[in-house]
mmCIF file of all heavy atoms in Angstrom:
data_model
loop_
_atom_site.group_PDB
_atom_site.id
_atom_site.type_symbol
_atom_site.label_atom_id
_atom_site.label_comp_id
_atom_site.label_asym_id
_atom_site.label_seq_id
_atom_site.Cartn_x
_atom_site.Cartn_y
_atom_site.Cartn_z
ATOM 1 N N GLU A 1 0.832 -1.199 -0.003
ATOM 2 C CA GLU A 1 0.003 0.000 0.000
ATOM 3 C C GLU A 1 0.864 1.257 0.001
ATOM 4 O O GLU A 1 1.565 1.549 0.963
ATOM 5 C CB GLU A 1 -0.899 -0.003 1.244
ATOM 6 C CG GLU A 1 -1.758 1.238 1.405
ATOM 7 C CD GLU A 1 -2.552 1.229 2.698
ATOM 8 O OE1 GLU A 1 -2.264 0.402 3.587
ATOM 9 O OE2 GLU A 1 -3.461 2.063 2.818
ATOM 10 N N GLY A 2 0.810 2.000 -1.109
ATOM 11 C CA GLY A 2 1.559 3.243 -1.197
ATOM 12 C C GLY A 2 0.822 4.397 -0.541
ATOM 13 O O GLY A 2 -0.398 4.368 -0.350
ATOM 14 N N ALA A 3 1.574 5.424 -0.172
ATOM 15 C CA ALA A 3 1.005 6.646 0.395
ATOM 16 C C ALA A 3 1.271 7.809 -0.548
ATOM 17 O O ALA A 3 2.149 7.759 -1.394
ATOM 18 C CB ALA A 3 1.617 6.920 1.768
ATOM 19 N N GLN A 4 0.503 8.895 -0.392
ATOM 20 C CA GLN A 4 0.574 10.049 -1.289
ATOM 21 C C GLN A 4 0.295 9.622 -2.746
ATOM 22 O O GLN A 4 -0.507 8.732 -2.958
ATOM 23 C CB GLN A 4 1.929 10.769 -1.173
ATOM 24 C CG GLN A 4 2.119 11.511 0.134
ATOM 25 C CD GLN A 4 2.741 10.650 1.224
ATOM 26 O OE1 GLN A 4 3.611 9.822 1.024
ATOM 27 N NE2 GLN A 4 2.318 10.856 2.402
ATOM 28 N N GLY A 5 0.935 10.229 -3.708
ATOM 29 C CA GLY A 5 0.734 9.908 -5.106
ATOM 30 C C GLY A 5 2.038 10.056 -5.877
ATOM 31 O O GLY A 5 2.986 10.705 -5.396
ATOM 32 N N ILE A 6 2.075 9.487 -7.090
ATOM 33 C CA ILE A 6 3.317 9.484 -7.863
ATOM 34 C C ILE A 6 3.791 10.895 -8.197
ATOM 35 O O ILE A 6 4.995 11.158 -8.267
ATOM 36 C CB ILE A 6 3.131 8.654 -9.147
ATOM 37 C CG1 ILE A 6 2.836 7.189 -8.787
ATOM 38 C CG2 ILE A 6 4.373 8.718 -10.044
ATOM 39 C CD1 ILE A 6 2.358 6.351 -9.946
ATOM 40 N N LEU A 7 2.853 11.837 -8.366
ATOM 41 C CA LEU A 7 3.237 13.206 -8.690
ATOM 42 C C LEU A 7 3.854 13.937 -7.496
ATOM 43 O O LEU A 7 4.311 15.075 -7.630
ATOM 44 C CB LEU A 7 2.031 13.988 -9.221
ATOM 45 C CG LEU A 7 1.537 13.529 -10.599
ATOM 46 C CD1 LEU A 7 0.198 14.173 -10.933
ATOM 47 C CD2 LEU A 7 2.572 13.855 -11.676
ATOM 48 N N LEU A 8 3.871 13.273 -6.332
ATOM 49 C CA LEU A 8 4.560 13.808 -5.157
ATOM 50 C C LEU A 8 5.875 13.085 -4.902
ATOM 51 O O LEU A 8 6.528 13.317 -3.877
ATOM 52 C CB LEU A 8 3.660 13.722 -3.916
ATOM 53 C CG LEU A 8 2.421 14.619 -3.924
ATOM 54 C CD1 LEU A 8 1.561 14.342 -2.695
ATOM 55 C CD2 LEU A 8 2.804 16.093 -3.970
ATOM 56 N N ASP A 9 6.286 12.208 -5.816
ATOM 57 C CA ASP A 9 7.551 11.494 -5.689
ATOM 58 C C ASP A 9 8.715 12.482 -5.699
ATOM 59 O O ASP A 9 8.745 13.413 -6.516
ATOM 60 C CB ASP A 9 7.686 10.491 -6.846
ATOM 61 C CG ASP A 9 8.910 9.598 -6.721
ATOM 62 O OD1 ASP A 9 10.013 10.069 -7.063
ATOM 63 O OD2 ASP A 9 8.752 8.441 -6.310
ATOM 64 N N VAL A 10 9.685 12.283 -4.816
ATOM 65 C CA VAL A 10 10.793 13.223 -4.691
ATOM 66 C C VAL A 10 11.664 13.265 -5.944
ATOM 67 O O VAL A 10 12.348 14.261 -6.207
ATOM 68 C CB VAL A 10 11.639 12.900 -3.430
ATOM 69 C CG1 VAL A 10 12.437 11.593 -3.607
ATOM 70 C CG2 VAL A 10 12.527 14.074 -3.043
ATOM 71 N N ASP A 11 11.653 12.226 -6.756
ATOM 72 C CA ASP A 11 12.402 12.201 -8.013
ATOM 73 C C ASP A 11 11.536 12.509 -9.231
ATOM 74 O O ASP A 11 11.994 13.154 -10.182
ATOM 75 C CB ASP A 11 13.078 10.837 -8.222
ATOM 76 C CG ASP A 11 14.265 10.634 -7.310
ATOM 77 O OD1 ASP A 11 15.169 11.475 -7.314
ATOM 78 O OD2 ASP A 11 14.296 9.622 -6.600
ATOM 79 N N HIS A 12 10.309 12.011 -9.235
ATOM 80 C CA HIS A 12 9.484 12.048 -10.433
ATOM 81 C C HIS A 12 8.275 12.976 -10.346
ATOM 82 O O HIS A 12 7.501 13.077 -11.294
ATOM 83 C CB HIS A 12 9.003 10.631 -10.766
ATOM 84 C CG HIS A 12 10.125 9.665 -10.981
ATOM 85 N ND1 HIS A 12 10.927 9.700 -12.091
ATOM 86 C CD2 HIS A 12 10.590 8.652 -10.208
ATOM 87 C CE1 HIS A 12 11.835 8.748 -12.000
ATOM 88 N NE2 HIS A 12 11.662 8.095 -10.871
ATOM 89 N N GLY A 13 8.111 13.649 -9.209
ATOM 90 C CA GLY A 13 6.968 14.525 -9.035
ATOM 91 C C GLY A 13 7.264 15.966 -9.394
ATOM 92 O O GLY A 13 8.275 16.280 -10.027
ATOM 93 N N THR A 14 6.346 16.866 -9.000
ATOM 94 C CA THR A 14 6.471 18.288 -9.307
ATOM 95 C C THR A 14 7.409 18.965 -8.301
ATOM 96 O O THR A 14 7.008 19.819 -7.504
ATOM 97 C CB THR A 14 5.079 18.952 -9.305
ATOM 98 O OG1 THR A 14 4.367 18.579 -8.106
ATOM 99 C CG2 THR A 14 4.286 18.539 -10.515
ATOM 100 N N TYR A 15 8.666 18.570 -8.366
ATOM 101 C CA TYR A 15 9.730 19.042 -7.486
ATOM 102 C C TYR A 15 9.926 20.561 -7.612
ATOM 103 O O TYR A 15 9.935 21.087 -8.716
ATOM 104 C CB TYR A 15 11.023 18.322 -7.844
ATOM 105 C CG TYR A 15 12.174 18.514 -6.904
ATOM 106 C CD1 TYR A 15 12.401 17.613 -5.865
ATOM 107 C CD2 TYR A 15 13.037 19.588 -7.038
ATOM 108 C CE1 TYR A 15 13.474 17.777 -4.999
ATOM 109 C CE2 TYR A 15 14.110 19.766 -6.164
ATOM 110 C CZ TYR A 15 14.325 18.857 -5.155
ATOM 111 O OH TYR A 15 15.390 19.018 -4.291
ATOM 112 N N PRO A 16 10.076 21.315 -6.484
ATOM 113 C CA PRO A 16 10.249 20.856 -5.107
ATOM 114 C C PRO A 16 8.953 20.671 -4.323
ATOM 115 O O PRO A 16 8.989 20.409 -3.129
ATOM 116 C CB PRO A 16 11.072 21.991 -4.502
ATOM 117 C CG PRO A 16 10.548 23.216 -5.194
ATOM 118 C CD PRO A 16 10.262 22.779 -6.606
ATOM 119 N N PHE A 17 7.804 20.815 -4.997
ATOM 120 C CA PHE A 17 6.519 20.683 -4.309
ATOM 121 C C PHE A 17 6.113 19.210 -4.249
ATOM 122 O O PHE A 17 5.127 18.780 -4.867
ATOM 123 C CB PHE A 17 5.465 21.538 -5.016
ATOM 124 C CG PHE A 17 5.832 22.996 -5.076
ATOM 125 C CD1 PHE A 17 6.427 23.534 -6.212
ATOM 126 C CD2 PHE A 17 5.613 23.822 -3.987
ATOM 127 C CE1 PHE A 17 6.770 24.870 -6.259
ATOM 128 C CE2 PHE A 17 5.953 25.165 -4.034
ATOM 129 C CZ PHE A 17 6.545 25.693 -5.162
ATOM 130 N N VAL A 18 6.890 18.457 -3.493
ATOM 131 C CA VAL A 18 6.736 17.007 -3.416
ATOM 132 C C VAL A 18 6.892 16.563 -1.972
ATOM 133 O O VAL A 18 7.210 17.360 -1.087
ATOM 134 C CB VAL A 18 7.795 16.294 -4.300
ATOM 135 C CG1 VAL A 18 7.547 16.570 -5.768
ATOM 136 C CG2 VAL A 18 9.216 16.728 -3.911
ATOM 137 N N THR A 19 6.678 15.283 -1.729
ATOM 138 C CA THR A 19 6.957 14.713 -0.426
ATOM 139 C C THR A 19 8.425 14.316 -0.365
ATOM 140 O O THR A 19 9.183 14.535 -1.318
ATOM 141 C CB THR A 19 6.024 13.507 -0.141
ATOM 142 O OG1 THR A 19 6.097 13.166 1.254
ATOM 143 C CG2 THR A 19 6.394 12.298 -1.003
ATOM 144 N N SER A 20 8.866 13.738 0.753
ATOM 145 C CA SER A 20 10.293 13.463 0.947
ATOM 146 C C SER A 20 10.661 12.007 0.726
ATOM 147 O O SER A 20 11.737 11.568 1.134
ATOM 148 C CB SER A 20 10.710 13.900 2.358
ATOM 149 O OG SER A 20 10.532 15.285 2.524
ATOM 150 N N SER A 21 9.780 11.257 0.086
ATOM 151 C CA SER A 21 10.060 9.853 -0.199
ATOM 152 C C SER A 21 9.716 9.546 -1.645
ATOM 153 O O SER A 21 9.081 10.336 -2.343
ATOM 154 C CB SER A 21 9.270 8.931 0.737
ATOM 155 O OG SER A 21 7.865 9.096 0.555
ATOM 156 N N ASN A 22 10.142 8.370 -2.104
ATOM 157 C CA ASN A 22 9.751 7.882 -3.419
ATOM 158 C C ASN A 22 8.396 7.181 -3.308
ATOM 159 O O ASN A 22 8.240 6.251 -2.515
ATOM 160 C CB ASN A 22 10.785 6.921 -3.974
ATOM 161 C CG ASN A 22 12.066 7.624 -4.402
ATOM 162 O OD1 ASN A 22 13.108 7.486 -3.788
ATOM 163 N ND2 ASN A 22 11.997 8.399 -5.475
ATOM 164 N N THR A 23 7.438 7.642 -4.089
ATOM 165 C CA THR A 23 6.076 7.126 -4.019
ATOM 166 C C THR A 23 5.743 6.168 -5.165
ATOM 167 O O THR A 23 4.616 5.670 -5.232
ATOM 168 C CB THR A 23 5.070 8.292 -4.030
ATOM 169 O OG1 THR A 23 5.242 9.053 -5.240
ATOM 170 C CG2 THR A 23 5.292 9.229 -2.846
ATOM 171 N N VAL A 24 6.693 5.929 -6.062
ATOM 172 C CA VAL A 24 6.458 5.031 -7.186
ATOM 173 C C VAL A 24 6.405 3.580 -6.717
ATOM 174 O O VAL A 24 6.875 3.238 -5.630
ATOM 175 C CB VAL A 24 7.547 5.203 -8.268
ATOM 176 C CG1 VAL A 24 7.453 6.578 -8.902
ATOM 177 C CG2 VAL A 24 8.941 4.951 -7.704
ATOM 178 N N ALA A 25 5.871 2.718 -7.563
ATOM 179 C CA ALA A 25 5.656 1.312 -7.196
ATOM 180 C C ALA A 25 6.945 0.579 -6.857
ATOM 181 O O ALA A 25 6.952 -0.312 -6.002
ATOM 182 C CB ALA A 25 4.926 0.586 -8.327
ATOM 183 N N ALA A 26 8.040 0.942 -7.519
ATOM 184 C CA ALA A 26 9.301 0.250 -7.270
ATOM 185 C C ALA A 26 9.757 0.359 -5.822
ATOM 186 O O ALA A 26 10.496 -0.497 -5.323
ATOM 187 C CB ALA A 26 10.395 0.812 -8.197
ATOM 188 N N THR A 27 9.291 1.397 -5.121
ATOM 189 C CA THR A 27 9.668 1.610 -3.725
ATOM 190 C C THR A 27 9.119 0.521 -2.811
ATOM 191 O O THR A 27 9.607 0.324 -1.700
ATOM 192 C CB THR A 27 9.206 2.991 -3.243
ATOM 193 O OG1 THR A 27 9.584 3.981 -4.198
ATOM 194 C CG2 THR A 27 9.810 3.365 -1.894
ATOM 195 N N ALA A 28 8.105 -0.191 -3.258
ATOM 196 C CA ALA A 28 7.557 -1.282 -2.457
ATOM 197 C C ALA A 28 8.618 -2.313 -2.113
ATOM 198 O O ALA A 28 8.613 -2.894 -1.023
ATOM 199 C CB ALA A 28 6.393 -1.950 -3.180
#
């Protein structure tokens, strides 16, 4: 179960307006 959304991914989201973790599926 992921939290937040992919567009908040620290690498792939709308940086710097993102969260501080990777939210993509690979992070599982």
Side-chain angles (χ1 to χ4, degrees):
E1 176 184 13
Q4 290 89 37
I6 297 168
L7 291 170
L8 293 175
D9 186 281
V10 70
D11 287 306
H12 302 288
T14 49
Y15 189 93
F17 301 97
V18 293
T19 193
S20 298
S21 62
N22 288 110
T23 60
V24 294
T27 312

